[in-house]
Amino acid sequence: QVQLVESGGGLVQAGGSLRLSCAASGRTLSRYDMGYAMGWFRQPPGKEREFVSALSRSGGNTYYGSPAKGRFTISRDNAKNTVYLQMNSLKPEDTAVYYCAAAQGPVTTRADMWGYWGQGTQVTVFS
């Protein structure tokens, strides 16, 4: 089993920045960089969950959904078993619950293909 705990959400003015963190734990997570793709999804109010960004299992490849390109950066700290999502130039349309996810398979934009999820952290951007 893999446990994921997000943090770092909050209220921010448009144009501001936030950094989300996802702390991963579990009996296999000492090798999470070898066995799991790590990703971020978000779910705006009244909408479906959408892909934001992900790291491949090896960590050598990064992926970004359209809303994130050029503004968000995904990274990880293996020593801390933590994945980060740096979000800059935030817009009101970025308002959503942001979820961290882990998958044993390859990176995919399909939320149903990710096996492990955190509880989510709320991000609210006001103008």
Side-chain angles (χ1 to χ4, degrees):
Q1 282 286 44
V2 173
Q3 292 81 45
L4 305 172
V5 178
E6 303 96 334
S7 61
L11 187 65
V12 63
Q13 190 170 19
S17 299
L18 281 175
R19 189 178 76 159
L20 305 183
S21 299
C22 173
S25 62
R27 64 180 178 90
T28 62
L29 255 296
S30 61
R31 297 180 60 202
Y32 88 98
D33 56 323
M34 299 296 292
Y36 296 88
M38 301 295 295
W40 289 95
F41 286 75
R42 70 185 188 184
Q43 188 161 15
K47 297 183 179 180
E48 294 185 351
R49 198 166 294 191
E50 63 179 359
F51 174 77
V52 176
S53 183
L55 280 165
S56 63
R57 285 179 293 176
S58 68
N61 295 302
T62 57
Y63 304 85
Y64 294 95
S66 297
K69 290 179 180 177
R71 298 188 300 128
F72 296 0
T73 303
I74 190 170
S75 62
R76 69 184 188 193
D77 184 333
N78 291 344
K80 296 182 178 180
N81 278 350
T82 300
V83 176
Y84 303 98
L85 184 68
Q86 177 67 44
M87 304 187 297
N88 299 326
S89 302
L90 284 163
K91 306 173 183 178
E93 50 264 43
D94 293 318
T95 295
V97 178
Y98 283 71
Y99 295 92
C100 179
Q104 290 182 290
V107 169
T108 172
T109 59
R110 289 180 52 180
D112 61 344
M113 298 299 289
W114 293 72
Y116 303 96
W117 293 88
Q119 82 289 348
T121 185
Q122 177 70 46
V123 172
T124 302
V125 185
F126 64 94
S127 56

